[in-house]
Amino acid sequence: MLLLRISRKLLFRSIRALQLDDWLMGLFVSSCYTTFVVISNKYLKAGSNLEPPGFDWSALSARDISRRRHGSKLMIAVEQMLMLVIWTCKSCLLIMYHRLTRTALRMENIAIRILAAYVAIGFVVTEILYFTAWCRPFSEYYRVPTDFNQCNTLIDHRITKTVFNISSDIIMLCIALQMIIRSSLPFTRKLVLCAIFSLGIFAVAAATLSAYYSIHRPYTHTWLSWYLRESSMVIIVANIPFTWTILRELFEVDEFNGSSPQPWSFYPASRPSMAGSRDPRLSIQTSPSIPPARNRKSRTLTDSIGSQATQSTTLVDSLSVGHETGDSLSNALKLVDSSQQEMHQVRSHDFAASKCEEDEILPISA
């Protein structure tokens, strides 16, 4: 799923056009996830101070104690890598939602900003409590054996993490679904998008089971398997909305309905305007239709030639229209500029518009 993020590069035709969430997912999340998997395996082999009450520590040799102390330190790294993977994926989704809502859906954009603040507060509070409150002194986390249950079972830390994690996931899921339901998309396309974004339910389920096993059965190490499932599911949910572009490019997949707006545009239904009104504030920007996927393999090679030819044809046609109707040359050139802008908008077919396209979208006014 992380490799499928290259569909963003296929869309923008340049690695420089990749945005903040692409870099976070491609570099930071992939590094943290790989580190998490490697350290988890080393932790299971080394052991730790996580043993049930009544365990006979005196039966261990000095070498075993040293090995378990090393494993307890690895457990700290495992917990931190999981936190970084989950909260960075949340941040990437929030960045995407912010781009989708900042021009047209103002109320949803405010809700996204409030949720982003809540997610940031949850991460900071969880980390501060982990490093300063639940186990003091900090060396008790890797002492073998430890004198406090909170230092090896991490019960309080995991409860705090679960509360912020699951609550933010549910709020994010509700915001995404209501945006899709309120949009002016066809019913079948709404169903497809709702199914895609509803995959967040599986991430919530994985987080719930991970919390259950880590809190109620901390000594069985079953929780570590659910840690892996939770982090994997979060990565899948955060990246699957971006796979549509690569499907279009590689497998010649067309739009759900080429004449209707993009499924990820989320343009609300247009309001009826007053009869004869010329007020531009009463109009609404609609997403242009996307040309069919046929002949897409040769599109890249002919982009520059086709663009020049189209511009020349458009100029000739516009000059002819200007000559026949008596319009001036300046009016004809305005038609050319308008045609070029429409051509530029047609190339937008991804969840997050490029910066030049976002600036062209007009805000909706009541």
Side-chain angles (χ1 to χ4, degrees):
M1 294 304 299
L2 286 171
L3 290 177
L4 286 178
R5 194 85 176 193
I6 63 172
S7 63
R8 304 273 291 158
K9 182 178 181 294
L10 292 177
L11 169 68
F12 293 122
R13 309 296 177 188
S14 171
I15 195 171
R16 295 181 180 180
L18 294 178
Q19 296 171 313
L20 176 61
D21 52 332
D22 303 314
W23 291 110
L24 286 175
M25 191 64 67
L27 298 179
F28 188 73
V29 172
S30 59
S31 300
C32 290
Y33 181 78
T34 304
T35 305
F36 168 75
V37 174
V38 173
I39 294 180
S40 296
N41 284 278
K42 291 183 176 294
Y43 161 76
L44 287 175
K45 293 179 181 179
S48 68
N49 57 8
L50 183 60
E51 295 293 347
F55 182 80
D56 187 10
W57 293 100
S58 61
L60 300 179
S61 64
R63 182 177 181 181
D64 291 334
I65 294 293
S66 176
R67 177 171 53 84
R68 284 177 175 263
R69 184 179 296 111
H70 176 66
S72 300
K73 293 179 180 179
L74 292 178
M75 181 57 212
I76 299 174
V78 168
E79 196 69 30
Q80 292 305 304
M81 290 300 105
L82 177 70
M83 290 280 296
L84 291 175
V85 168
I86 293 176
W87 259 263
T88 306
C89 288
K90 291 179 189 290
S91 302
C92 291
L93 281 173
L94 288 171
I95 291 172
M96 181 188 74
Y97 290 156
H98 171 69
R99 282 200 299 262
L100 289 173
T101 60
R102 69 177 179 179
T103 55
L105 304 175
R106 296 180 181 177
M107 294 302 298
E108 285 79 359
N109 186 256
I110 294 175
I112 290 297
R113 294 184 182 185
I114 295 175
L115 178 58
Y118 176 73
V119 169
I121 292 173
F123 179 80
V124 172
V125 169
T126 304
E127 289 291 79
I128 289 177
L129 292 177
Y130 179 80
F131 285 101
T132 64
W134 301 135
C135 182
R136 299 298 301 165
F138 187 80
S139 58
E140 284 291 329
Y141 277 121
Y142 50 86
R143 181 181 176 183
V144 181
T146 183
D147 293 331
F148 307 101
N149 258 355
Q150 289 297 333
C151 296
N152 59 359
T153 59
L154 306 178
I155 300 297
D156 290 344
H157 163 71
R158 285 164 175 167
I159 291 176
T160 307
K161 178 186 70 177
T162 301
V163 170
F164 283 110
N165 182 22
I166 295 181
S167 60
S168 59
D169 282 347
I170 293 176
I171 296 172
M172 194 181 307
L173 182 62
C174 292
I175 293 176
L177 292 180
Q178 70 90 22
M179 280 196 304
I180 298 173
I181 294 172
R182 289 180 54 200
S183 67
S184 59
L185 302 174
F187 178 73
T188 54
R189 191 179 294 186
K190 285 184 181 181
L191 287 181
V192 173
L193 286 177
C194 285
I196 292 175
F197 283 91
S198 294
L199 290 175
I201 297 175
F202 293 98
V204 173
T208 303
L209 290 170
S210 174
Y212 171 79
Y213 285 105
S214 62
I215 294 173
H216 294 280
R217 301 180 183 180
Y219 303 109
T220 62
H221 289 101
T222 307
W223 53 267
L224 189 57
S225 299
W226 281 103
Y227 267 23
L228 179 61
R229 296 183 183 110
E230 179 186 4
S231 59
S232 302
M233 197 66 215
V234 168
I235 292 176
I236 291 173
V237 170
N239 285 281
I240 200 169
F242 296 92
T243 59
W244 183 252
T245 302
I246 197 169
L247 292 176
R248 284 172 51 84
E249 296 288 340
L250 297 182
F251 302 105
E252 303 284 331
V253 179
D254 272 326
E255 303 293 336
F256 295 126
N257 183 358
S259 62
S260 58
Q262 289 288 1
W264 37 82
S265 300
F266 298 115
Y267 287 96
S270 57
R271 302 182 180 92
S273 59
M274 298 174 60
S277 175
R278 297 291 183 179
D279 192 345
R281 293 178 300 174
L282 297 178
S283 62
I284 182 172
Q285 178 95 3
T286 57
S287 177
S289 59
I290 303 299
R294 59 181 177 272
N295 300 329
R296 187 175 288 112
K297 291 182 178 179
S298 61
R299 182 181 59 194
T300 305
L301 298 177
T302 59
D303 262 352
S304 58
I305 300 176
S307 176
Q308 294 174 3
T310 305
Q311 292 177 7
S312 302
T313 305
T314 306
L315 179 60
V316 172
D317 293 343
S318 302
L319 290 175
S320 300
V321 171
H323 177 73
E324 292 175 0
T325 60
D327 292 337
S328 62
L329 178 61
S330 60
N331 291 336
L333 293 176
K334 288 180 180 179
L335 294 175
V336 175
D337 183 61
S338 176
S339 300
Q340 292 175 348
Q341 290 181 359
E342 291 179 359
M343 290 172 55
H344 176 70
Q345 290 178 351
V346 164
R347 296 174 185 172
S348 171
H349 55 285
D350 201 4
F351 271 88
S354 60
K355 186 178 187 304
C356 59
E357 294 170 7
E358 291 174 348
D359 295 337
E360 294 176 358
I361 299 177
L362 298 178
I364 298 175
S365 301

